[in-house]
Amino acid sequence: MGTQLRAELTERGIAPDCADTIVVVRDVLARVGDKWTMLIVAALSEGPRRFTTLHASVPGISQRMLGHTLRALVRDGLLTRAAYAEVPPRVEYELTDLGRSLARAVDQLVGWVTQNQDAIVGNRAGFDAEQSTVTRPR
Amino acid sequence: MGTQLRAELTERGIAPDCADTIVVVRDVLARVGDKWTMLIVAALSEGPRRFTTLHASVPGISQRMLGHTLRALVRDGLLTRAAYAEVPPRVEYELTDLGRSLARAVDQLVGWVTQNQDAIVGNRAGFDAEQSTVTRPR
DNA sequence: CGGTATCCTTGAAGATACTG
DNA sequence: CAGTATCTTCAAGGATACCG
């Protein structure tokens, strides 16, 4: 994963461990920037939750994507998955310390967005207005 | 953009302005988490750069993706685009104050990744090792 | 309950060629 | 030089069905 880019970076004379970091940074940013991760982590920030509960709390997510995303988060060690051998079965997901520390780091970025979203949305509107003036003049 | 999710969120009783923030946060995270943005911003952090210079400094990027990504960043007000009417033409891209402040915010996250990438990579390796044990036992 | 398997659609992005 | 246009490929993600 990202091996291709890593190779290209090192080939251009960038130190291998620095290339590693670039790749991992992009990896992590892509994960927290994907369609569902933030919403799942937000739902888990209050405490452990079950699969079905999460499915209900994250609006619009499919079972497939919930399963995939949870698995990826467990793989990275950001979540734990605890399966209890009962009937009916019960599985609980919970943020790990690593997951919580990432959530705090992301919170900084959320803070930035909260402070600057008006500016961004305004810039987009202005840009789009200009463009439509150019493409559809008069 | 993200209007669909916004509607779903508000329908579930989440306050509209809160839903807005969720959507914008995901937007911004998706932007900084995409394949090229980080590398372009890094290249611009030293000062203004021209299209061709950027094309050379970002390994593996196509003209198409460089153009698209730059345009998106300009649209959000994170970059300025200055075109000089010379021959040959010269265009310089530069981080705005907003862009620089985002870069600083992202740096926090980069710091987190730098500190924790060993843990993440280790977790992944451990997880994958377990999985292959399960799927290909003995 | 808590998933996985399968199929299918769509948008993202690469390759290549062309232009003001 | 600084892009855009076109074509194509590919994988993320949705819908649906099924299973331990």
Side-chain angles (χ1 to χ4, degrees):
Chain A
M1 160 218 320
T3 314
Q4 194 62 33
L5 174 70
R6 216 201 83 107
E8 263 184 280
L9 288 170
T10 50
E11 193 178 329
R12 303 224 180 180
I14 293 164
D17 60 334
C18 176
D20 269 343
T21 298
I22 291 174
V23 170
V24 177
V25 164
R26 194 155 80 177
D27 249 40
V28 172
L29 285 173
R31 168 132 321 290
V32 301
D34 82 348
K35 204 168 175 186
W36 302 113
T37 297
M38 287 285 300
L39 295 169
I40 293 174
V41 169
L44 285 170
S45 66
E46 310 272 308
R49 292 287 183 275
R50 304 174 60 168
F51 189 90
T52 306
T53 311
L54 287 172
H55 193 224
S57 349
V58 179
I61 196 170
S62 63
Q63 281 192 333
R64 183 181 178 276
M65 286 317 295
L66 181 57
H68 277 262
T69 309
L70 287 172
R71 165 170 278 251
L73 290 169
V74 170
R75 185 173 105 102
D76 284 357
L78 301 171
L79 260 50
T80 54
R81 176 186 185 278
Y84 301 91
E86 310 168 355
V87 282
R90 180 166 58 98
V91 176
E92 288 195 335
Y93 292 91
E94 187 172 10
L95 285 170
T96 61
D97 288 343
L98 189 65
R100 267 184 292 271
S101 89
L102 174 59
R104 275 194 302 276
V106 170
D107 256 351
Q108 307 281 340
L109 209 47
V110 173
W112 183 91
V113 172
T114 309
Q115 281 176 15
N116 297 287
Q117 63 175 319
D118 289 349
I120 295 176
V121 171
N123 288 330
R124 283 180 191 170
F127 184 91
D128 294 347
E130 257 183 70
Q131 293 308 303
S132 63
T133 307
V134 172
T135 31
R136 190 167 47 84
R138 262 274 60 215
Chain B
M1 159 217 319
T3 314
Q4 194 63 32
L5 175 69
R6 215 201 84 107
E8 263 183 282
L9 287 171
T10 51
E11 194 179 331
R12 304 224 179 180
I14 292 164
D17 60 332
C18 177
D20 269 342
T21 298
I22 291 174
V23 169
V24 178
V25 164
R26 192 155 81 176
D27 249 38
V28 172
L29 286 173
R31 169 132 320 290
V32 301
D34 83 349
K35 203 169 176 186
W36 302 114
T37 296
M38 287 285 301
L39 295 169
I40 293 174
V41 170
L44 285 170
S45 67
E46 310 273 309
R49 292 288 184 273
R50 304 174 60 169
F51 189 91
T52 306
T53 312
L54 287 171
H55 193 223
S57 350
V58 179
I61 196 171
S62 63
Q63 282 192 331
R64 183 181 177 278
M65 286 318 294
L66 182 57
H68 278 262
T69 308
L70 287 172
R71 164 170 278 250
L73 290 169
V74 170
R75 185 172 105 102
D76 284 358
L78 302 171
L79 299 184
T80 54
R81 176 186 185 278
Y84 300 92
E86 308 168 355
V87 281
R90 181 165 57 97
V91 176
E92 289 195 335
Y93 292 91
E94 186 172 10
L95 284 170
T96 61
D97 287 343
L98 190 64
R100 267 185 292 272
S101 89
L102 175 58
R104 276 194 301 277
V106 170
D107 256 351
Q108 307 280 341
L109 209 48
V110 173
W112 183 89
V113 172
T114 310
Q115 281 175 16
N116 298 101
Q117 63 175 320
D118 290 350
I120 294 175
V121 172
N123 288 330
R124 283 179 191 169
F127 185 91
D128 295 346
E130 256 183 69
Q131 294 308 304
S132 64
T133 307
V134 172
T135 31
R136 190 167 47 82
R138 261 272 64 208

